């Protein structure tokens, strides 16, 4: 799932649908945040839920790092420690 | 922390009022980015300002006007000296004692984020008159990215103490939780411990507003030390502290104190106004 634009309360519903759609495959789920221009706690919550063990039911979830603002939110909330973060999808 | 909603900022650089709807949060971000850029603020700090304002606005959209009644959201920004102060206000239900279950968890993280990003945060609320969140940013802050993760450990001392006084007759209990959240976020608490801290805040709000001594303001003192925060609450009616510790009960949760606090004790003090209990506890960052 490639995120492009701003992920906040207004757009988190669309993103959630997209993730649900992608989650039907049995492949690993990749959340690509490289083009994400903004992330707040509403978006963070979606990402944490999507990457959570209960939701993914054993399936691997990878998050491709976004720009500085996104990294900052991950860092300050401790989310970085909970996610499988990669710099580039080729590392998966 | 409580009171004084709607006090005007003097000559704001920007004031924007708009319907409190999710799609308008991006509008506010844009407006604030414009102001900050005009002030010559560096990009990393603009990111932090955008994030903090976005979180405050999200709180208004989700919480201020329940039952779909809708309402306005007002954001003003004022640069004074080298500080940019942003006020995010609504005329909604005010700071509410929170339900213990079924709440959107992102908002708890949201408030903690504001605390971590800003140099100064004030929250004022009054029941049915709205909430006023003031967020201050030091525009001259270090060029290097400021991360709370890099802060040196704090040592205990009076100047690190935050004291909140609430009038037990008012819905001030929720303010205790909110301030605890902010301080915990600033002290680099892990996400799990942050939510534990919120539960302890709920616990204190639940017990202390019921057990405080009439006509005496309830004082909550929070001290940030290395890897922990320490909280002292009182004065409470003699005996209540003990009861609170023994039962330790948070409705719908069980014994909160045993599960959550690293250390908790009752201090029986003889104050000028008579005997009183104080409850002291310590919550570690991890």
């Amino acid at each position: 799932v490639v995120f492009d634009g701003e992920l906040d309360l207004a757009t988190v519903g669309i993103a959630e649908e997209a993730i649900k759609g992608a989650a039907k495959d049995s492949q690993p789920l990749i959340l690509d945040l490289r083009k994400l221009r903004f992330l707040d706690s509403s978006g963070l919550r979606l990402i944490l839920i999507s990457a959570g063990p209960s939701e993914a039911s054993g399936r691997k979830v990878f998050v491709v790092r976004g720009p500085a603002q996104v990294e900052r939110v991950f860092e300050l909330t401790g989310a970085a420690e909970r996610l499988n973060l990669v710099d580039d999808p080729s590392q998966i | 922390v409580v009171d004084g909603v709607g006090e005007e900022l003097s000559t704001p650089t920007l004031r924007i009022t708009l319907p409190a709807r999710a799609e308008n949060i991006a509008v506010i971000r844009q407006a604030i980015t414009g102001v900050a850029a005009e002030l010559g603020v560096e990009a990393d700090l603009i990111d932090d300002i955008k994030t903090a304002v976005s979180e405050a606005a999200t709180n208004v959209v989700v919480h201020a006007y329940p039952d779909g009644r809708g309402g306005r959201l007002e954001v003003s920004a004022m640069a004074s000296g080298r500080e940019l102060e942003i006020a995010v206000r609504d005329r909604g239900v005010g700071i509410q004692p929170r339900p213990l279950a079924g709440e959107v968890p992102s908002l708890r993280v949201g408030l903690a984020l504001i605390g971590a990003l800003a140099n100064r945060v004030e929250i004022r609320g009054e029941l049915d008159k709205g909430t006023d969140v003031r967020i201050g940013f030091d525009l001259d802050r270090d060029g290097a990215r400021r991360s709370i993760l890099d802060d040196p450990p704090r040592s205990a001392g009076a100047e690190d103490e935050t004291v909140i006084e609430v009038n037990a007759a008012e819905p001030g209990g929720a303010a205790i939780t909110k301030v605890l959240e902010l301080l915990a976020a600033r002290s680099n608490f892990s996400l799990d411990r942050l939510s534990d801290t919120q539960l302890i805040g709920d616990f204190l709000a639940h017990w202390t507003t019921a057990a405080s001594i009439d006509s005496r303001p309830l004082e909550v003192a929070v001290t940030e030390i290395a890897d922990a925060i320490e909280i002292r609450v009182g004065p409470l009616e003699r005996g209540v502290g003990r009861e609170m510790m023994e039962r330790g009960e948070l409705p719908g949760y069980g014994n909160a104190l045993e599960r959550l606090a690293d250390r908790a004790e009752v201090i029986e003090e003889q104050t000028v106004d008579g005997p009183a209990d104080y409850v002291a506890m310590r919550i570690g960052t991890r």
Side-chain angles (χ1 to χ4, degrees):
Chain A
V1 180
V2 178
F3 292 73
D4 189 343
E6 301 191 320
L7 188 55
D8 70 1
L9 188 66
T11 54
V12 75
I14 304 165
E16 190 173 1
E17 287 307 309
I19 291 173
K20 274 186 189 155
K24 282 171 189 149
D25 304 331
S26 54
Q27 299 287 313
L29 176 63
I30 301 169
L31 306 176
D32 185 344
L33 309 185
R34 286 175 296 174
K35 289 184 186 166
L36 190 60
R37 290 195 307 276
F38 180 82
L39 173 87
D40 69 3
S41 63
S42 319
L44 173 71
R45 179 169 172 265
L46 173 67
I47 289 169
L48 287 174
I49 289 171
S50 307
S54 58
E55 206 57 35
S57 57
R59 178 186 189 208
K60 275 274 185 191
V61 180
F62 296 94
V63 177
V64 185
R65 288 181 193 280
Q69 188 271 337
V70 175
E71 281 291 297
R72 177 95 161 133
V73 171
F74 282 177
E75 261 174 47
L76 290 179
T77 56
E81 296 162 24
R82 301 181 155 205
L83 298 169
N84 284 323
L85 286 167
V86 294
D87 292 326
D88 192 281
S90 65
Q91 296 176 308
I92 296 165
Chain B
V1 176
V2 182
D3 251 2
V5 170
E7 185 189 314
E8 294 300 311
L9 294 176
S10 51
T11 57
T13 310
L14 166 85
R15 176 176 291 146
I16 175 168
T17 66
L18 67 189
R21 286 203 292 261
E23 64 267 30
N24 285 336
I25 299 170
V27 176
I28 293 161
R29 272 201 303 275
Q30 281 304 110
I32 292 293
T33 301
V35 171
E38 214 165 294
L39 292 168
V41 175
E42 47 120 7
D44 287 343
L45 182 50
I46 291 182
D47 276 353
D48 286 0
I49 295 171
K50 274 166 67 176
T51 309
V53 170
S54 213
E55 297 298 342
T58 300
N59 264 329
V60 172
V61 171
V62 177
H63 283 317
Y65 305 104
D67 311 321
R69 63 178 159 118
R72 308 286 292 173
L73 163 59
E74 180 181 320
V75 178
S76 11
M78 188 181 70
S80 108
R82 292 306 291 165
E83 185 186 59
L84 177 64
E85 181 178 85
I86 298 160
V88 178
R89 290 190 284 210
D90 63 69
R91 303 281 171 189
V93 294
I95 296 173
Q96 295 273 327
R98 296 175 314 172
L100 293 168
E103 179 172 319
V104 186
S106 68
L107 294 171
R108 298 182 153 199
V109 175
L111 194 61
L113 253 185
I114 299 175
L117 294 165
N119 296 95
R120 185 171 65 78
V121 185
E122 290 168 41
I123 302 166
R124 308 171 204 204
E126 220 174 309
L127 200 61
D128 288 327
K129 288 188 182 168
T131 304
D132 181 342
V133 177
R134 304 280 174 100
I135 310 168
F137 287 93
D138 175 5
L139 300 182
D140 287 330
R141 89 174 185 202
D142 233 292
R145 289 184 77 85
R146 169 178 153 272
S147 166
I148 57 168
L149 301 178
D150 298 333
D151 279 352
R154 295 161 190 276
S155 58
E159 60 206 48
D160 282 330
E161 191 175 67
T162 303
V163 178
I164 315 151
E165 273 194 12
V166 296
N167 180 347
E170 304 289 326
I176 298 173
T177 312
K178 294 201 177 294
V179 173
L180 268 184
E181 286 172 19
L182 286 178
L183 295 174
R186 212 162 69 186
S187 297
N188 189 20
F189 273 49
S190 67
L191 210 55
D192 288 338
R193 287 307 270 163
L194 270 180
S195 66
D196 289 350
T197 305
Q198 286 146 2
L199 282 168
I200 288 175
D202 288 339
F203 171 82
L204 288 175
H206 170 73
W207 271 92
T208 53
T209 48
S212 60
I213 296 173
D214 286 346
S215 78
R216 289 173 64 184
L218 183 69
E219 194 180 276
V220 182
V222 187
T223 308
E224 298 162 87
I225 57 171
D227 301 323
I229 56 176
E230 289 182 344
I231 307 158
R232 199 182 60 126
V233 186
L236 302 170
E237 297 280 2
R238 176 53 58 83
V240 163
R242 186 71 49 204
E243 190 191 347
M244 182 170 152
M245 303 284 278
E246 278 166 8
R247 293 179 56 196
E249 200 177 301
L250 185 65
Y253 190 77
N255 193 319
L257 279 187
E258 268 176 27
R259 291 204 216 173
L260 304 173
D262 297 308
R263 194 166 62 78
E265 63 187 345
V266 178
I267 302 157
E268 295 185 345
E269 274 184 26
Q270 198 60 45
T271 69
V272 284
D273 298 312
D277 283 356
Y278 286 80
V279 171
M281 57 186 80
R282 169 191 281 244
I283 314 169
T285 55
R286 311 210 158 250

